[in-house]
Amino acid sequence: MESQDYRFSVAPMMDWTDRHCRVFHRLMTRRARLYTEMLTTGAIIHGDRGRLLGFNPIEHPVALQLGGSDPDDLATAAKLGEDFGYDEINLNVGCPSDRVKDGRFGACLMAEPALVAEGIAAMKRAVKIPVTVKCRIGIDEQDPEIALDVLARGVVAAGADALIVHARKAWLNGLSPKENRDIPPLDYGRVYRLKAALPHVPVVINGGIGSIAEAKRHLDHVDGAMLGRAAYQEPWRLLDVDPELFGEAAPYATMKDVFEAMLPYIEEQLAQGTRLHAMTRHFVGAFHGVPGARAFRRHLADKGVKPGAGAGVLRDAIALVEHRAAASIAA
């Protein structure tokens, strides 16, 4: 797989990047790689696979992110993901939550690079699609210059097709998961040095990137950039991905056009019993900074959560934005 495939991606985010969110994001960019929320190997092997792994074909290219440490379980879950049609399997070696640490997966695995490499090798034997790793630059008292290099070289030797690096340490002792997203200082230079040391391996940078313009600047040093909260909380930014990073027109010109394209999916999901709020909760930042944005958010929050809420709630919320925008121009 060429490094260009990794030029831009939206980060896997727990409770956020579910299938509805990914369909929404795909309508704004044809080229971004999308990632599932982290799914544990145990949930996939023993749970409702259709519910956990099912996705809409529009989402391609889409990667399945796994959490786990047992090589056999990782291989089994990866094969199931490949059979469901995912384009990539990604191993989470970066999540700092207590629940993840107790389960021996996520960022704590940076202390066990040989086990991570064993897991990558097992998945590579099990699937034909790319297998990638998402990690931090280190944990706790580790020296990132050493820890990241050891992990990276181990997984590359085991066959990893790309490395995605969140450019912060994770402090498993002393910081909450939320604090670990902001407090440890960003060290983009460490990720740039990793890329320089591994010129033939695609390296993607993640962490604190707030705009497509910032992402573009990183591409002078690495193969790809991954946006997380900025892409989720201000999804309109994704309309700039294809023009700015790939030289192609965006799928739609405005957020209103995106929502018009989203409505058939919403209607289909409602008919299958999905609640409206399960989809509209991903839309709250869609008009950030635009007149009427607050009214849009409030309408979705008040009306979208009610039993039986239909697509008309979204139409009415968009109309509020249009009304405020027109009033603003008239004024």
Side-chain angles (χ1 to χ4, degrees), residues 71-72 75 79 117-128 131 158:
D72 292 339
K79 185 67 172 75
E118 198 180 331
I120 294 298
M123 288 191 283
K124 286 294 291 183
R125 288 192 296 269
V127 302
K128 296 181 175 65
V131 175

Side-chain angles (χ1 to χ4, degrees), residues 236 287-291 293 297:
W236 51 269
F287 293 105
H288 180 80
V290 173
R297 290 195 302 271

Side-chain angles (χ1 to χ4, degrees), residues 43 57 223 312:
D223 301 287

Side-chain angles (χ1 to χ4, degrees), residues 69 95-108 172-173:
S69 58
C95 180
S97 85
D98 294 334
R99 184 170 63 84
V100 167
K101 183 171 62 172
D102 293 344
R104 203 180 177 204
F105 49 91
C108 67
L172 304 181
N173 298 306

Side-chain angles (χ1 to χ4, degrees), residues 22 38-39 44 63 66 81 105 113 125 128 131 164 178 183 192 203 213 226 233 253 267 269 282 293 323 327:
R22 297 192 305 267
M38 183 189 69
L39 296 171
I44 291 170
L66 295 179
F105 49 91
R125 288 192 296 269
K128 296 181 175 65
V131 175
I164 304 164
K178 183 175 185 299
I183 291 177
Y192 298 167
V203 173
M226 175 180 273
Q233 294 169 344
E267 298 276 17
Q269 288 294 313
H282 301 302
H323 175 73

Side-chain angles (χ1 to χ4, degrees), residues 220 270 314:
D220 291 336
L270 290 169
L314 177 59

Side-chain angles (χ1 to χ4, degrees), residues 17-324:
T17 52
D18 64 15
R19 65 180 76 184
H20 308 308
C21 174
R22 297 192 305 267
V23 167
F24 177 47
H25 286 175
R26 177 57 70 216
L27 290 175
M28 289 174 274
T29 163
R30 297 183 182 93
R31 298 298 298 268
R33 296 183 73 81
L34 303 179
Y35 285 76
T36 69
E37 305 168 87
M38 183 189 69
L39 296 171
T40 66
T41 54
I44 291 170
I45 293 168
H46 304 296
D48 181 346
R49 293 172 193 166
R51 181 179 64 80
L52 291 168
L53 294 176
F55 65 93
N56 190 297
I58 194 180
E59 295 175 39
H60 290 295
V62 58
L64 169 65
Q65 189 184 62
L66 295 179
S69 58
D70 179 88
D72 292 339
D73 287 352
L74 286 169
T76 299
K79 185 67 172 75
L80 289 167
E82 181 180 53
D83 291 345
F84 263 80
Y86 284 95
D87 301 296
E88 171 191 332
I89 304 296
N90 176 260
L91 179 62
N92 184 320
V93 190
C95 180
S97 85
D98 294 334
R99 184 170 63 84
V100 167
K101 183 171 62 172
D102 293 344
R104 203 180 177 204
F105 49 91
C108 67
L109 286 175
M110 293 208 68
E112 300 186 74
L115 180 62
V116 176
E118 198 180 331
I120 294 298
M123 288 191 283
K124 286 294 291 183
R125 288 192 296 269
V127 302
K128 296 181 175 65
I129 57 176
V131 175
T132 63
V133 173
K134 186 171 190 291
C135 64
R136 294 282 184 130
I137 60 173
I139 56 171
D140 298 330
E141 301 299 338
Q142 284 184 334
D143 178 350
E145 297 300 330
I146 298 170
L148 182 59
D149 191 68
V150 169
L151 180 87
R153 290 185 184 279
V155 298
V156 168
D161 293 282
L163 301 168
I164 304 164
V165 186
H166 185 149
R168 305 180 201 269
K169 269 190 173 185
W171 287 92
L172 304 181
N173 298 306
L175 293 182
S176 71
K178 183 175 185 299
E179 290 169 332
N180 263 305
R181 289 194 290 270
D182 292 306
I183 291 177
L186 286 159
D187 187 354
Y188 294 137
R190 179 63 192 96
V191 187
Y192 298 167
R193 290 192 293 279
L194 178 70
K195 174 59 196 176
L198 299 171
H200 303 300
V201 179
V203 173
V204 176
I205 197 164
N206 171 229
I209 303 172
S211 68
I212 306 307
E214 281 182 51
K216 195 172 186 178
R217 289 195 290 273
H218 285 294
L219 296 179
D220 291 336
H221 307 278
V222 291
D223 301 287
M226 175 180 273
L227 253 68
R229 283 168 290 168
Y232 185 87
Q233 294 169 344
E234 299 171 344
W236 51 269
R237 293 184 181 280
L238 295 176
L239 287 170
D240 288 334
V241 169
D242 294 3
E244 291 296 322
L245 300 182
F246 295 95
E248 299 174 5
Y252 297 97
T254 68
M255 287 307 303
K256 188 186 179 216
D257 296 336
V258 171
F259 282 125
E260 287 292 334
M262 187 80 186
L263 280 166
Y265 174 83
I266 291 172
E267 298 276 17
E268 176 188 290
Q269 288 294 313
L270 290 169
Q272 294 173 15
T274 302
R275 292 189 61 175
L276 182 69
H277 178 66
M279 296 172 277
T280 57
R281 71 189 186 93
H282 301 302
F283 303 163
V284 292
F287 293 105
H288 180 80
V290 173
R294 186 176 299 173
F296 174 83
R297 290 195 302 271
R298 186 181 300 127
H299 190 81
L300 290 184
D302 291 346
K303 309 292 185 185
V305 297
K306 294 184 175 177
V313 171
L314 177 59
R315 289 191 180 95
D316 290 345
I318 295 168
L320 288 170
V321 177
E322 291 183 308
H323 175 73
R324 298 291 172 89

